[in-house]
């Protein structure tokens, strides 16, 4: 399943995903894709990861593209600006804060802001436990009964081996069942 900020974008079904990243010193760029209900999502992103004292930063931009999925009334493609900071409390435990801002969110729903607090514990080289809690606000959600402000959380474990990673995760939100969201 492809879950984005607590909401399944694959209608609670299986998702095929993949991507490529390029990293050079403190700069990175990449592409990532997944099937979604609307067809395909392709993300293009780039950023800068400087450190100031004990804080590691991630400053970037992410473009979300849905080839062929736009309708006459809404533009699905959009971009977000990202600012995140993290602190390593120990060699195994870190925590951070992140903010994502979209000046024109998915489906022409206006400004959107996602704020998150996250933490991770690296048990050993291959196994980690992590989680996050966030809040999504959307200026003009789609239609009556749509959610314009909701909380989301996840907790999971990841196992990395030979360049691959398996992630088992629980996601949820405080969105009432049957409520529409504006992504």
């Amino acid at each position: 399943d492809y879950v984005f900020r607590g909401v399944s974008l694959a209608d609670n079904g299986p998702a095929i995903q993949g991507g490529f990243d390029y990293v050079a010193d403190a700069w990175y760029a990449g592409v990532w894709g997944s099937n979604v209900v609307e067809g395909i999502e392709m993300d293009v992103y780039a950023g800068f990861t400087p450190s100031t004292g004990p804080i590691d930063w991630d400053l970037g931009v992410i473009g979300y593209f849905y080839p062929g999925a736009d309708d006459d009334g809404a533009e699905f493609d959009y971009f977000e600006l990202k600012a995140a900071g993290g602190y390593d409390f120990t060699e195994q435990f870190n925590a951070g804060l992140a903010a994502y801002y979209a000046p024109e969110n998915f489906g022409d729903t206006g400004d959107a802001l996602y704020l998150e607090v996250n933490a991770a514990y690296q048990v050993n080289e291959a196994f980690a436990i992590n989680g996050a809690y966030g809040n999504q606000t959307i200026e003009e959600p789609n239609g009556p009964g749509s959610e314009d402000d909701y909380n989301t959380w996840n907790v999971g474990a990841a196992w990395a081996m030979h360049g691959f990673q398996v992630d088992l995760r629980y996601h949820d939100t405080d969105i009432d069942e049957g409520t529409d969201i504006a992504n």
Side-chain angles (χ1 to χ4, degrees):
D1 194 8
Y2 171 24
V3 179
F4 182 76
R5 300 184 183 153
V7 178
S8 172
L9 298 186
D11 199 22
N12 294 312
I16 305 295
Q17 304 171 344
F20 297 97
D21 292 330
Y22 176 77
V23 178
D25 297 320
W27 296 93
Y28 66 90
V31 296
W32 179 88
S34 179
N35 61 295
V36 294
V37 171
E38 294 87 10
I40 295 174
E41 175 182 318
M42 291 296 296
D43 301 347
V44 178
Y45 47 89
F48 178 56
T49 56
S51 294
T52 53
I55 306 296
D56 294 324
W57 298 98
D58 183 352
L59 308 171
V61 62
I62 307 162
Y64 300 90
F65 302 97
Y66 302 87
D70 294 342
D71 65 18
D72 294 334
E75 172 66 36
F76 292 162
D77 300 343
Y78 70 103
F79 76 94
E80 287 184 322
L81 302 173
K82 173 185 180 181
Y87 179 78
D88 293 334
F89 288 91
T90 68
E91 285 186 24
Q92 294 176 291
F93 177 71
N94 65 39
L97 300 171
Y100 297 81
Y101 172 72
E104 187 56 58
N105 194 47
F106 178 88
D108 291 331
T109 56
D111 290 357
L113 179 64
Y114 179 71
L115 301 173
E116 178 184 275
V117 58
N118 52 65
Y121 183 77
Q122 190 74 37
V123 177
N124 58 39
E125 285 186 28
F127 185 69
I129 300 167
N130 52 50
Y133 182 87
N135 175 265
Q136 176 76 61
T137 58
I138 301 168
E139 182 180 18
E140 300 172 18
N142 292 328
S146 295
E147 192 68 45
D148 66 348
D149 185 340
Y150 69 91
N151 297 309
T152 179
W153 52 91
N154 71 74
V155 62
W159 182 271
M161 186 180 294
H162 305 297
F164 292 94
Q165 182 179 37
V166 176
D167 187 278
L168 180 61
R169 182 160 308 280
Y170 172 78
H171 297 268
D172 207 350
T173 71
D174 63 358
I175 298 172
D176 293 331
E177 190 172 327
T179 302
D180 292 331
I181 62 136
N183 204 16

